[in-house]
Amino acid sequence: MKVDVAVVGGGALGLSIAYNVAKRGLKTMVFEANYLGFGSTGRDIGLVRERVVDDVAKLALMGLKMHDKLPDKLGVNTLFRRSGCLIVALEEEEAKALEEKYKAYKRMGVQCDPLRLEEVKKRFPYVNVERLKACYYDKREGLVHPLALLWAYFEAFKKVGGALRKQAKVKSLKVEGGSFRVATDAETVEARKVVIAAGVYSSELAKQVGLTVPVEPLAREALVTEPMKPFLGPVIERPSNGFLLGQTMRGEFIGTIGSLGRSYDLSLSSYSFLKEFSRQAVEIVPALSGLKILRQWTWICDTTPDGKPLIGETSVNGLYLACGCHDYGLSIIPAIGELLGRLIVGGEVDPLIKPFSPARF
Ligand SMILES: Cc1cc2nc3c(=O)[nH]c(=O)nc-3n(C[C@H](O)[C@H](O)[C@H](O)COP(=O)(O)OP(=O)(O)OC[C@H]3O[C@@H](n4cnc5c(N)ncnc54)[C@H](O)[C@@H]3O)c2cc1C
């Protein structure tokens, strides 16, 4: 079997790229080692941020605007809403650090403003302002259902003729006579171009064609509670310890805090996470007291040394990387799909993705 483009990884990023390539007329096949959404995409919180590092913010801004239109464009509701995000500090030191950070965000065009605590109390009466030292509000940020986003890209990909191989781990990747041999246990496919969008496992594959890709794991835990009648408008974030709390449209609360460090071990789910997250959530939103937790899990973010993603063609002609999305992938995935799609099909390197070229390492 021969294809124009093989995409390794059936997460939201791989499918977004695959859709954007296939819709431009190239024969495209996605290989997913497990099932769609097995990776980070199926296990995250869903916050779509604009507050990200340096030039990633421009991609995130493009991504945010695209999220508004994706349901119409792809024909599936991604359950995205501009919920906004309340960014809180519970200690004086944190408040000072936030102030500095937000001056920098302001310079980057991010619309995040301080909110006086009386104002927080009036607008978000369920927030325990007694515990807050400072609060900022970014009204442009939003919450998406990550699996709905993934499904939307998959449905659109199928409509433009894309093919998917599930339970198809790419075990071998070789360059032969100017094209690639992409091999799973079941078959070997010849591809003119290959995109590695395998999250934290991208470096394993790249190594097979002689590339060193500096993607490091950062294991994080998350949980979901039983549903409650929706009342939490914005997502609440405490940047000093990675605390995030959002409420889905179905009423469940979903959240995360801290990290488990540089590990690939998915069996690390801990009681201390449950305890610490719950304590913090009830401290900030007392109405959550007594709520039952349904499930907790661990997954791995793919991080890079400079905090920015790897997007673009590698030194191996025809081989592209799309990984290193840290904990902000959902914000930039629509933009990466569009811009990398254009690069793969037409050779055009958009200035927005230029800073993230794999050649910088
Ligand atoms: C706890 C947690 C909370 C998060 N919260 C947020 C958030 O609120 N907002 C946000 O923007 N981001 C968040 N993130 C990060 C976000 O989930 C990721 O940035 C995003 O999902 C990355 O998508 P992806 O498609 O690159 O990776 P993945 O979804 O991991 O997809 C990669 C896929 O590649 C497959 N694969 C791997 N190796 C192979 C192979 N050899 N052959 C075939 N397939 C292979 C895997 O099975 C996987 O399905 C969070 C992450 C975690 C862990």
Side-chain angles (χ1 to χ4, degrees), residues 67-347:
H67 270 288
D68 285 327
K69 298 195 178 121
L70 279 181
D72 284 341
K73 194 170 167 192
L74 303 177
V76 173
N77 190 350
T78 60
L79 302 178
F80 174 68
R81 67 186 165 98
R82 294 268 190 159
S83 59
C85 187
L86 282 179
I87 303 104
V88 300
L90 273 66
E91 306 296 340
E92 289 296 351
E93 281 304 299
E94 282 174 62
K96 278 188 208 140
L98 270 189
E99 199 180 331
E100 287 311 307
K101 216 168 180 177
Y102 287 94
K103 279 185 204 154
Y105 283 142
K106 214 67 207 162
R107 287 195 292 274
M108 285 152 54
V110 168
Q111 279 185 13
C112 185
D113 299 303
L115 261 195
R116 283 181 304 111
L117 296 183
E118 306 90 84
E119 185 77 5
V120 179
K121 198 171 181 174
K122 215 159 52 187
R123 292 176 63 181
F124 310 106
Y126 44 81
V127 174
N128 177 16
V129 291
E130 309 305 321
R131 276 300 284 118
L132 303 192
K133 292 286 186 257
C135 183
Y136 290 73
Y137 182 45
D138 189 321
K139 65 172 189 227
R140 294 202 297 201
E141 297 193 342
L143 200 59
V144 71
H145 193 306
L147 286 175
L149 176 70
L150 178 97
W151 205 250
Y153 274 120
F154 177 53
E155 286 297 318
F157 174 59
K158 276 195 302 189
K159 274 193 198 132
V160 291
L164 168 70
R165 296 287 194 264
K166 282 185 288 186
Q167 305 294 342
K169 178 171 179 168
V170 173
K171 292 202 166 156
S172 150
L173 180 64
K174 287 187 186 141
V175 192
E176 267 177 37
S179 64
F180 295 89
R181 301 286 181 280
V182 182
T184 66
D185 279 340
E187 63 186 331
T188 298
V189 172
E190 187 181 335
R192 282 200 299 117
K193 297 184 176 187
V194 169
V195 183
I196 300 180
V200 74
Y201 302 104
S202 298
S203 42
E204 261 177 30
L205 275 169
K207 209 187 282 174
Q208 297 195 22
V209 287
L211 291 177
T212 305
V213 173
V215 169
E216 290 279 341
L218 186 70
R220 296 197 61 174
E221 294 177 84
L223 60 74
V224 65
T225 69
E226 62 182 338
M228 245 178 141
K229 189 173 173 187
F231 68 87
L232 190 76
V235 174
I236 299 178
E237 178 168 15
R238 184 183 182 191
S240 67
N241 63 6
F243 174 85
L244 263 189
L245 172 74
Q247 189 174 22
T248 68
M249 284 186 190
R250 286 202 317 204
E252 302 110 334
F253 289 87
I254 179 161
T256 180
I257 192 171
S259 91
L260 292 162
R262 301 233 167 265
S263 174
Y264 284 95
D265 188 351
L266 296 177
S267 66
L268 290 173
S269 289
S270 64
Y271 176 64
S272 58
F273 161 76
L274 273 187
K275 214 167 92 179
E276 189 46 29
F277 177 83
S278 309
R279 193 190 61 73
Q280 191 106 135
V282 171
E283 193 175 12
I284 300 174
V285 183
L288 301 188
S289 174
L291 201 62
K292 291 190 180 68
I293 290 163
L294 296 185
R295 217 156 38 84
Q296 80 178 96
W297 60 89
T298 299
W299 192 256
I300 310 159
C301 293
D302 43 339
T303 68
T304 57
D306 61 1
K308 299 175 188 179
L310 289 156
I311 312 165
E313 191 166 9
T314 66
S315 54
V316 177
N317 202 10
L319 180 68
Y320 301 80
L321 272 182
C323 57
C325 289
H326 294 253
D327 61 353
Y328 52 72
L330 299 176
S331 318
I332 58 175
I333 280 170
I336 301 180
E338 175 68 38
L339 302 177
L340 196 57
R342 278 189 221 159
L343 170 63
I344 293 167
V345 178

